[in-house]
Structures are given as C-alpha cells and as structure tokens.
Amino acid sequence: MSPTPDMTTHIGKLVLDNPVMVASGTFGFGEEYDGLMDVRALGAIVTKGISLEPRVGNPAPRTAETPCGMINSVGLQNPGLRGFVEHKLPWLKEVPCKVVVNILGDTVEEYATLARELDGVPGVDAMEVNISCPNVEHGGMTFGSDPQTARRVAEAVRAETDKPVLVKLSPNVTSIVQVAEAVITAEIDGLTLINTISAMAIDYATGKPLLGAITGGLSGPAIKPVAVRAVFEVARACETSIVGCGGIASWQDAVEFIRAGASAVQVGSATFRSPSSAVRVIDGLRGFLSHIDCSSCRELVGKVNI
Amino acid sequence: MSPTPDMTTHIGKLVLDNPVMVASGTFGFGEEYDGLMDVRALGAIVTKGISLEPRVGNPAPRTAETPCGMINSVGLQNPGLRGFVEHKLPWLKEVPCKVVVNILGDTVEEYATLARELDGVPGVDAMEVNISCPNVEHGGMTFGSDPQTARRVAEAVRAETDKPVLVKLSPNVTSIVQVAEAVITAEIDGLTLINTISAMAIDYATGKPLLGAITGGLSGPAIKPVAVRAVFEVARACETSIVGCGGIASWQDAVEFIRAGASAVQVGSATFRSPSSAVRVIDGLRGFLSHIDCSSCRELVGKVNI
Amino acid sequence: MATAHNITAELKQVRHFGKDLVLLRLFAPSVALAATPGQFVMLGPLDPRCMDPFLCRPISIFGVTDEGELDLLIAAAGRGTRMISAWTEGLRVELTGPLGHGFESDTKNLLLVGGGVGVAPLVFLADTQLAKGRKCTLLYGAARSEMMVDLQKLQDRGCLVKLATDDGSVGHHGLVTDLLSKHLSASHSHDTLVAACGPSPMLKEVWRNCSEHGVDLQVSLENRMACGTGACMGCSLLISGKALRVCKQGPVFSGGEVFQ
Amino acid sequence: MATAHNITAELKQVRHFGKDLVLLRLFAPSVALAATPGQFVMLGPLDPRCMDPFLCRPISIFGVTDEGELDLLIAAAGRGTRMISAWTEGLRVELTGPLGHGFESDTKNLLLVGGGVGVAPLVFLADTQLAKGRKCTLLYGAARSEMMVDLQKLQDRGCLVKLATDDGSVGHHGLVTDLLSKHLSASHSHDTLVAACGPSPMLKEVWRNCSEHGVDLQVSLENRMACGTGACMGCSLLISGKALRVCKQGPVFSGGEVFQ
Ligand SMILES: Cc1cc2nc3c(=O)[nH]c(=O)nc-3n(C[C@H](O)[C@H](O)[C@H](O)COP(=O)(O)OP(=O)(O)OC[C@H]3O[C@@H](n4cnc5c(N)ncnc54)[C@H](O)[C@@H]3O)c2cc1C
Ligand SMILES: Cc1cc2nc3c(=O)[nH]c(=O)nc-3n(C[C@H](O)[C@H](O)[C@H](O)COP(=O)(O)OP(=O)(O)OC[C@H]3O[C@@H](n4cnc5c(N)ncnc54)[C@H](O)[C@@H]3O)c2cc1C
Ligand SMILES: Cc1cc2nc3c(=O)[nH]c(=O)nc-3n(C[C@H](O)[C@H](O)[C@H](O)COP(=O)(O)O)c2cc1C
Ligand SMILES: Cc1cc2nc3c(=O)[nH]c(=O)nc-3n(C[C@H](O)[C@H](O)[C@H](O)COP(=O)(O)O)c2cc1C
Ligand code: FES
Ligand code: FES
C-alpha cells in the first residue's frame, strides 16, 4: 500500500482532478443527482447534449431494459444553448468539478456556431462533440459514420474554440480506427469512445417496438466488451488521449478501460442502476492504484500485457 | 387455442420442418449434443465453419464470459473439408433434420472451391457462407466489411452450387443494409443475421487480455438488441429470406426475431448455458402460435406493429 | 429535489396478498420522513450480484410509519416485480427516494379512485389527509378480490372504502369508474378533489366523469423510467404541448394538464 | 459421450468447510451412475432467472453414492463459484454430465497428488480404486488447513492421506510436491500410477518428479470452457502438436502427452 496515488489526468489540455466523469445524457445537468451522491467528487460532468435551439425529443416510450443493459431513444430533448446557459450552467458553475458540454447539430455549421458561442462562456471547461446525429444536409447518415464528415465537424469546432475539444465516436462503423485517424487530424484534445450501439427491441406478445422511435442506442454492461475493443484499437493506432465509455459500472471496469488505453473514463447508464456508481469507481480506482503501488493513475494508461 | 400450427418455413429453396436451427460454431457437428437434447427436433443443424484444409485455430484461452454474454476467439479450428465429409457428415446424415454446412475461406477462390466440392455431397442440404473472415489477398479486412467484396464471395459460391446458399453477415459494418443489398444481387437463398460483434476483455488485475487472440466476437443475450435491429432493417430494405441469430435463448426471443422479419432463427451460445435451449424454443414457439391462433409460423414473419 | 436519498434499507416485513401482490416494509427513515403522497422510490438493483435485470423499478410509496418505515405495495407483473415478490425479510436493498412531485390537496373532501396496484399512492394520500381531519372516500377496483390489498386499517381510521371487481368476487361487479360516476352524481362535489391512479383507460374515464361534474382531478401517471431523477429525459410525455418528465414534473399531474 | 445427461437435480446437502469451500450433494442418479473418476459436470445456469452470469461452470465429480447422489467440492474463487457457495438445500439446479475423459488406472498402487480443490477428482478416483482392493496414497496440499476438505471417510476406508500446507497449519509445512519427491525416493515405484490435479506449476513439478523416477503420470487439466461437450472448440490446447479439447479428449491426459 503506497500513499494516496495521484489521480490527476490529462486529456489534451483538459486537466481533471480524477479520471472519472459521468457520461452525456445519463446525468442530466448535474443537479438532478445532487444529494443522491457526491457530485463534487467527480472528475467532470458531461452534460446532456445541447443543440442551438431547444428540442422536445422522440416519442414515448424512450427507454427499454435489455439483457445487461438498456436501449434509449431519448433523442435530443434539451433546453437549447440559451436555456442551458441561463438555467443549467449557473448550478454547474458552483460545482468544483469540471464541466464538459456535449454538443450536437444538424449541420456542420450548427456545430461551429455552438462551439463559437460556448467558447466565450465561463464555467464551460471543455466541449464534447456528439457526431452520432443525422447529417440533415446529407441524407440523414450520421456525421460519425464517415471519416471525412466526422473530420469536418471536428475541424469546424476546433476552428471556433480554444477550449479543450473531445470528439465522441460512434461504434456503428466498419472501422472506428479510420474515423479516429481522420478526426484527430483536426488537432482536437481527445476522443470519447464509445457512444451507444444501434439496437432495437420488440414486445414479442404485441409486436410493438419497445421504443416509440423504433430503434435506439444500446448501453450498459452488455456493450462493455465492444467499448474496450474500440479503446484498445484506437489507442494502438492513434496519438491522442482517449476517454473510455460503455458499460462501466465498477472500478474494475474502469481499470480495464484505462489498461486498454483510456486516460479517463465515463460512467453512463450505471448511474441509473445506482446513483453513486461513479463515486464508487473513483474510490475503488484510488484504492486499486494504491494497492498495486502505482503512484499515478496516468501510469496505468495502456498497461495491457500482451 | 388452434390446432397444431404449421411450423414449416422456407428460406429461398431451403425448406425446414421448423424454423429453429442451431448456430455455427455452437453445436460442433451435432453428435456432441446427442443424448443431451433432442437433436432430431431441430429445424437444421449448422455445422462449425469448414475450410478447405484442417486448421488448429487460435491460442488459448479462447472464451471468456462477459455481462450477459461471452466473447470467443476459437478462430477456425476445424477438420477441413475432407475431415468433415469423412468423419463428421456420416453421423449428420443419419439425423432427420437438415444439415447446413458453414464455409469459410482466405480467398474468394477458396469459397468457390468449397461450394463446388460440397455441391456434389449427399447429406449437405445447404451452405452458409461465413464472410466474417479476413480476406488474405486484401490486407486482412474481412470479406463481410465491404459490400462489393461480400457480393463477390456470394457470386462465387452461387456459381458453383445449386444447393440453397445462405450468406451470414457481420454486424461490424457502418451499414448492414448496404452489405445485404449487395449480397442478394447474387441470387442467394437468404441471409443469416448476425455474426458476433468485435469485442475484447482485459483482466483488470493482471492486465492480460482474457483471450489469447486478444480480440474476439461477442455473442449471447447482450447482443440481441443489435441483432433484432439488423434483422428489422434488412427485412425492410431487401427482398430476401432472413435467418435471425444473436442472443436467442427463449421462444420469446425467437418470436421477437420472427416479428422483426426473420423466416427462421438460430440458437447459438444459449446452448452452452442449457443444451436444450433450442428445443425449448421450438416447443415454446409452437405453443405461442397455437395460443394466438396463428396457423403457420410463416404468418408471423415481419409482423411488427409500427 | 434536495430531499431525496440513495440508501440501503433492511426489509423488515414481507406480507403476501393472494399470489401476485406483496407489501414490503423497509426501514428507511430518511426516505420515509421526507416522503409525501404521490411520490415514489426507485427500487433496486433488484439483484446486486447480477447486471440482469439492469435497471431499478419505480414504485409508489404506499405508506410510512412513525418509526421511519416505508411501505411499498408491489404487484408481480413482469420479471422484475416477480423477483421483488420473492424477496425475504432481512434482505438489504438499495433504493432512491422520495422522488417526483406528489399530490397537492387542501380540500375538505377527497375522493380517491385506484385501479389495481394504483391504489398504493392513494392509500398514503388518504392516510395523511385523514390525519388532517379531512374526509376521504376510496373507490378501489381490481380484477379479482385476491388481487386486492387489505385496507381494514384505513377503514378503521375513518376512510370510506368501496370495492369493485371485474369478476364480482367482492364489491361492485364491474368497473371502479361505475362507482365513481354513481358517487359524483349522488353527492355534492364542491370542495372535492378526485385523485386517481391506475391504468390509462381508467384514468381517461375518471377524467370524463370529473369534467362532466366539474370536479378537480389529479392523476398519477406511469411511464418507463431509467433514472427516476429527471436526468435521462427518458420518461418525458408530451403534456399540454410540453415534453414533461413524469419522474420529475410528475408523476402527479392535474387532469386538465394531461387530458385537455 | 452417449452417457452424458442434461438434468435438473435437487440439492440434498450443503456442507461448508472454512469459508471458501463447500461440498454439494445433489440427487442426480443418471449422472452419478454413469460417472467415472476424472469426469466433470457443467453446473448451471447459476441463476436461471438471470442471463448474468451467462455460462455454466465445469466442476469435477468428487464422489457418488449408491443412492445416486453426486458430490461436488467447490472453492469460492470468482463470482460464479461464490454464487454457488451460497446455494441452499432444496434448490433445484441444472447440470450436464458426466463429461470428458477420466483417469485410466489398472495399477496396483495409486499415488494421488492434489492441490487445493484439485483434490476433488482424486477423491473419487481413490474411492473407486479402494473398492477394487488397490492401494492408494493421497498427498493433499492447500494454502491453509481451513481450505481443506475433511477426508476422514477416505482414510477410514484405507487410503493413506498426507497433508501439506503453505502455512504449516496442518501436515507438512511446504508444498505437496515435497511430499511427492520424498515418497517417490523412498518407495519402490514399479506398478505405481501417479494421478494429479491442481494448479499448473504444481503439475509441472509433479511431472518433473515422475519423469525423474520413471513413474507413469496422469494429470487433470483445467481450461476455460463454454460448452463442456466438445462442441465449441473453446477449450482446445496444443498438446503434442494437436489442438485437443480439454473437455472432450481430457480433462485427464497422460503426463507425457502434456509435458513432453
Ligand atoms: C411512478 C410509478 C410508480 C409506480 N408504482 C408502483 C407500485 O407502487 N407498485 C407496483 O407494483 N408497480 C408500480 N409501478 C409500476 C412498476 O414500476 C412496474 O410494474 C414495473 O416497472 C414492471 O416491472 P417488471 O420488472 O415487473 O416488468 P419487466 O417487464 O421486467 O419490466 C421491464 C422494464 O419495463 C419497465 N416497465 C414495465 N412496466 C412498466 C410500467 N407499468 N410502468 C413503468 N415502467 C414499466 C420496467 O421498469 C423495466 O424497466 C409504478 C410505475 C411508475 C412509473
Ligand atoms: C475440468 C474442470 C474441472 C473443475 N473442477 C472444479 C472443482 O471440482 N471444484 C472447483 O471449485 N473448481 C473446479 N474447476 C474450476 C472452476 O470451474 C473454476 O473455479 C470456475 O470456473 C471459476 O469460476 P468463477 O465463476 O468462480 O470465476 P469467474 O471469474 O466468475 O469465472 C469467469 C469465467 O472464467 C472461467 N474460469 C475462471 N477460472 C477458471 C478455471 N480455473 N478453470 C476453468 N475456467 C475458469 C469460468 O468458468 C467462467 O466462464 C474445474 C475446472 C475445470 C476446467
Ligand atoms: C438515456 C441516455 C441518453 C444519452 N444521451 C446522450 C447525449 O445526449 N449525447 C451523447 O453524446 N451521448 C448520449 N448518450 C450516450 C452515453 O453518453 C454513453 O456514450 C453510452 O450510454 C454508453 O455508456 P454506458 O454504457 O456507460 O451508458 C446517452 C445515453 C443514454 C443511456
Ligand atoms: C464459440 C463460437 C464459435 C463460433 N463459430 C462460428 C463459425 O465457425 N462460423 C460462423 O459463421 N459463426 C460462428 N459463430 C457465431 C455464431 O454462429 C452466432 O452467429 C453468434 O454466436 C451469435 O449468436 P448467439 O448470440 O446466439 O451466440 C461462433 C460463435 C461462438 C460463440
Ligand atoms: S426517468 Fe429519467 S428523466 Fe424521468
Ligand atoms: S468447452 Fe467447448 S469444446 Fe471444450
């Protein structure tokens, strides 16, 4: 047992007190979990995805349980940029942990505008670009499904802000490494891997899809092996910082992602199962590092024994 | 309660007594499960993948448990075409259910050769083409990851045999619909959806990948929502018969796939959990059809209420 | 919001009614003390050793005791609630609550309409209103008598309870809304609030009756929930043109909001 | 192969040894009657209501009774075996077996070397060999005495049991292979078969000793298993240049096959 390990981590120029964030869309705007767990202990809060204008999202039902996970089609319900800055950010500013704003748009221009507007906003520590949204100008394929389109979004955002920028990749591609390679040419600060996997469930008895939007995104422990593989492959291929996400529910899961190559992790759906999941990940990770006499969590990054 | 429903199903020109098969690689060559369950009740047995020459497969360990599923990197251990025909087929021939031989190759030519050789072999009722194998001539991308390469394999096999041909698609692509659309131009009899999802797991304590081959394929209930989505999307887009596969463990799961658009289903990893899974699926499906007064399982195909 | 807690609570008592209904008593003082009628808890993980089932289950608060106990009435509907029904005394379970926005009542007369396990929040509401000296009538419907919880205690405290069953095994042979329409037609209904919880068709019929008689209505809605805390936007319904989160802005809404 | 069965068996008895070792007795006549020493069963699903954990667990047969009962000795190692350790009498569990290729012994003298829970198949082997009037010595090593199963019955039947513990809490203070080398050096070893089961380093050391003294060795190997029936090719090891399935061609192999 060594003394308390250094939990600080770097994702490009974003510095976090500890490598554990909560994932976009699973933690609202933070205040929802105030009092239910120690929000202040988090490395960072990633907000629900923000668009330029408010959106009402998809028809109900929007969530369904699946084996070891869930699918959601929340869609893009959010208060819009103004609503966020006016009503949600003030509370977040009071919290000592970092605030990462997840952004999404229908066009490259919208992403750029969001980045430009948020660039000047105090209390926003970084942006995470969600490119798993349909590209309205190009037939509805998501921005993240084509390396060059993904790169263009990353470049547009990078051009508008000096704040740290993470780009969050979709696993619904033939080669996530190719998308990663294209995106990092935009000199962003890091990649978040992964968003949800395209999925669907049908009520066998009634034949009704369990989601109002018919298809949705699979998350939770079920997808962990897919996410670990994505992190591992991208870490081998790309010179960039990686934030691992997908099915993390315990500190052991976090260690697995860090060893695969992640400099930080995000706890997503597991918060629904138990609100303090992320805090337990932090405590457990600290304990593990100390147990293996590792003085800094950064030392563990990529430590896979092949 | 209606009288016993008709369980016969058609996949192109392949006719099965009932729509429940066991998936390739999860049932060996059938005899392994003889006595442990009623092999004769199956709609069809799909064999472990067969290559031209015998192969020893990947280094140990080859399987690992994951949340609601497993990953495997068995690789291609199989007795080769000759070994199969001499040592495995005789037993299969004695079984009244249909025999589908899963084939794989390093080159398009190998697939063609396998199809040609098997075309004349009595007791082989159909072939299932596994295109999730690395294309040795083209840098190791799998045949299934590019629509045109996938189509070429399908055409090569189709040209060599009049037996029913199924092509089994990989979910590790940006658009499984595009691959499906390309493949069915080869006038094959149907598509099997889906093969395993590329995945990985690491022992958090030691940092060792849980599989000797490092990465492997995720199967089991965890992937069911991904498979249902694939079946649903391809069924909407393509005029072909679909065999649903991925996480099916109960008759309710089978109904879900059939409603999504599958004319038949395959039970895979669930057999490991309980050898008689597939038989229970058959009985349950029959009971359900009768319960909802459905006179034929073919009527349920695609019956999703949108 | 700041009053909700995420705790581990011991299961003090398990009482079965029929084969599909169970009343759990948990020692959960922080939750029990903060709870108001109409609020709910997220119960789970259902099996902490397993990730399947993955999510918690939203369960209304049936009652609280002065000792800080929390009563939950659960109908074994699907896999999750069947697992809960098999829980035994002494088990320690995780729960989060009290959550959501409950009933708001300052009327003298309360008319409660509960369908099936939807009676749960109404019993808690009756309990607190009786304590304030108000008049309560509970119309309680279910499929069969053995799917009903015993409400003798509530009756002893002065609540008028009328039953309806689909099969006529107890009370009125028919729908609970038959009782309601009779009741509303018979009695002067000014200064009366109707509070209802149950299946959607029942709620709609309750609304029809209330609007016909010009009586205020509050309804507790259900929707699938992932977080229960307002974070995931998963339970939103379009209510009066706005996407409202049932777990946060509800589960109790005014009838007018929902049905107009 | 044709003798294996997939059955549901009732748990008749659960005996705990220390906190990490449990002996299960199941009523499973079809499996028990067909079993030979060295064979195993696939136990599970561990929790039929949940898909997590997903796979069955391979467990050696520790013994059978004339009444058709099957004894399994289980060490709580990971999550699955910990769940099994919490099983209680009366539970009905699914299992498949007997599976695999067991020990083959027609020698007069049997020398058994078991490390930890690896003693399980050796106890069954000793039992059947003693019944045939053969001489058996069991060298049994573990980390601490409280991680050992009680083998009094075997001793009563005439088996010589020598213990070794890492911490010296009982028997020889050191490795079980120390006992082996002493034993082999002391005794004439013609017509002796050594049968071993335990961790790989132990097996290697056993092999070294046996080959030094020219004694035949059979070892029971472990590998991760998905099917246990030979179907998935998941448990193959390269043994003498061939990919052999531990569950089918093994788990018992000759020492020469494995280590040469
Ligand atoms: C605010 C609120 C209060 C509730 N109070 C009670 C109560 O006091 N007693 C009680 O027995 N039940 C109550 N329910 C319903 C209860 O949550 C569902 O019966 C339960 O979720 C069904 O879960 P299951 O595990 O049995 O079914 P499963 O089929 O295993 O459920 C699968 C998924 O669907 C969701 N789901 C299924 N049915 C419903 C439903 N009717 N409403 C919401 N989610 C559903 C589950 O939460 C789960 O995520 C309440 C629901 C809500 C929203
Ligand atoms: C032929 C054979 C006979 C066995 N006999 C016994 C016995 O009699 N008593 C006993 O206690 N144990 C026995 N084992 C080992 C037992 O199967 C493992 O301890 C058990 O699988 C560990 O599972 P877990 O759920 O505790 O660990 P987990 O970490 O939950 O296991 C995760 C996965 O890894 C596999 N795994 C983990 N460790 C091992 C291992 N050492 N060998 C094989 N698979 C492993 C599990 O089967 C499971 O699929 C035997 C193993 C084999 C192959
Ligand atoms: C209800 C829900 C809403 C989500 N909303 C967003 C979002 O707005 N933007 C985004 O980038 N990811 C969103 N995600 C994806 C998560 O951030 C995360 O990438 C995914 O859930 C995988 O992690 P997990 O398995 O830990 O949940 C959402 C996920 C869920 C479950
Ligand atoms: C151990 C194992 C071996 C497999 N081998 C093959 C194979 O040889 N050829 C093939 O096409 N698919 C193979 N598969 C994939 C299965 O046939 C099936 O597509 C996949 O497991 C998803 O179904 P499941 O979730 O029901 O298992 C294998 C799967 C497993 C688990
Ligand atoms: S359940 Fe998450 S917002 Fe209501
Ligand atoms: S475990 Fe499947 S072949 Fe051995």
Side-chain angles (χ1 to χ4, degrees), chain D residues 5 35 43 62 192:
Chain D
H5 304 271
L43 192 57
F62 177 84
T192 290

Side-chain angles (χ1 to χ4, degrees), chain A residues 6-7 9 19 251-263 284-286 288-290 292-305, chain B residues 202-207:
Chain A
D6 178 6
M7 295 281 276
T9 193
W251 62 265
Q252 290 93 333
D253 296 336
V255 171
E256 190 177 358
F257 275 83
I258 294 170
R259 286 192 183 273
S263 298
L285 181 58
R286 191 184 288 111
F288 176 72
L289 291 169
S290 158
I292 64 166
D293 266 328
C294 184
S295 60
S296 155
C297 70
R298 298 186 298 285
E299 275 175 38
L300 201 66
V301 178
K303 283 280 181 303
V304 55
N305 297 322
Chain B
I202 300 171
D203 183 318
Y204 80 92
T206 64

Side-chain angles (χ1 to χ4, degrees), chain D:
Chain D
M1 149 198 9
T3 56
H5 304 271
N6 172 242
I7 58 159
T8 300
E10 193 187 322
L11 202 46
K12 305 298 281 185
Q13 208 182 79
V14 180
R15 284 178 62 196
H16 290 271
F17 297 89
K19 77 180 204 334
D20 286 331
L21 208 58
V22 64
L23 188 61
L24 305 181
R25 174 159 290 185
L26 294 141
F27 185 64
S30 58
V31 180
L33 293 173
T36 65
Q39 289 190 300
F40 66 98
V41 299
M42 290 298 277
L43 192 57
L46 303 186
D47 185 345
R49 297 170 314 174
C50 296
M51 285 293 168
D52 177 42
F54 182 61
L55 296 172
C56 303
R57 298 298 188 264
I59 302 292
S60 296
I61 296 168
F62 177 84
V64 301
T65 70
D66 293 340
E67 286 71 44
E69 290 150 332
L70 190 71
D71 288 343
L72 306 175
L73 180 69
I74 287 156
R79 183 167 72 124
T81 45
R82 269 200 306 277
M83 286 176 72
I84 296 173
S85 307
W87 283 357
T88 50
E89 281 160 29
L91 199 74
R92 296 180 65 78
V93 301
E94 191 174 327
L95 63 89
T96 303
L99 295 165
H101 182 95
F103 294 102
E104 281 173 7
S105 161
D106 48 13
T107 51
K108 285 228 189 71
N109 300 304
L110 213 63
L111 182 54
L112 310 169
V113 189
V117 78
V119 77
L122 305 178
V123 170
F124 187 21
L125 179 59
D127 222 38
T128 53
Q129 296 296 305
L130 290 168
K132 292 187 187 160
R134 292 178 183 154
K135 244 187 86 181
C136 289
T137 304
L138 171 60
L139 313 179
Y140 177 19
R144 296 183 305 276
S145 65
E146 73 261 36
M147 294 172 83
M148 294 181 124
V149 64
D150 173 14
L151 295 178
Q152 191 56 49
K153 258 200 207 149
L154 203 64
Q155 280 174 284
D156 292 348
R157 299 196 51 207
C159 181
L160 184 66
V161 176
K162 293 192 181 167
L163 307 180
T165 50
D166 295 352
D167 69 350
S169 47
V170 69
H172 169 67
H173 188 165
L175 299 175
V176 68
T177 44
D178 302 342
L179 297 181
L180 174 68
S181 71
K182 246 194 281 176
H183 202 276
L184 287 178
S185 309
S187 73
H188 290 280
S189 51
H190 67 96
D191 204 25
T192 290
L193 172 72
V194 176
C197 183
S200 308
M202 183 200 98
L203 294 183
K204 274 190 201 133
E205 183 61 14
V206 171
W207 164 248
R208 218 188 43 73
N209 274 288
C210 288
S211 47
E212 208 178 287
H213 292 87
V215 186
D216 279 350
L217 170 65
Q218 289 177 19
V219 294
S220 179
L221 299 185
E222 290 194 3
N223 195 7
R224 267 188 247 144
M225 292 182 180
C227 71
T229 63
C232 77
M233 320 268 172
C235 66
S236 296
L237 291 177
L238 269 185
I239 293 177
S240 314
K242 281 175 291 185
L244 298 185
R245 291 162 295 172
V246 172
C247 71
K248 189 84 181 176
Q249 279 109 348
V252 177
F253 296 92
S254 86
E257 235 177 324
V258 176
F259 294 106
Q260 241 159 11

Side-chain angles (χ1 to χ4, degrees), chain A residues 169-225:
Chain A
L169 302 191
S170 160
N172 303 308
V173 293
T174 306
S175 166
I176 200 165
V177 168
Q178 275 173 26
V179 182
E181 283 170 340
V183 164
I184 63 169
T185 63
E187 302 198 342
I188 49 148
D189 294 85
L191 297 170
T192 304
L193 307 173
I194 57 174
N195 215 311
T196 56
I197 304 181
S198 181
M200 174 180 185
I202 300 172
D203 183 318
Y204 80 91
T206 65
K208 264 194 194 289
L210 288 182
L211 299 179
I214 303 173
T215 60
L218 181 63
S219 63
I223 72 167
K224 193 183 68 161

Side-chain angles (χ1 to χ4, degrees), chain A residues 8 16 29 51 67 81 133 145-146 176 181 184 227 272 276:
Chain A
T8 320
L16 305 180
F29 298 98
S51 50
L81 179 62
C133 312
S145 60
D146 173 64
I176 200 165
E181 283 170 340
I184 63 169
F272 304 154
S276 52

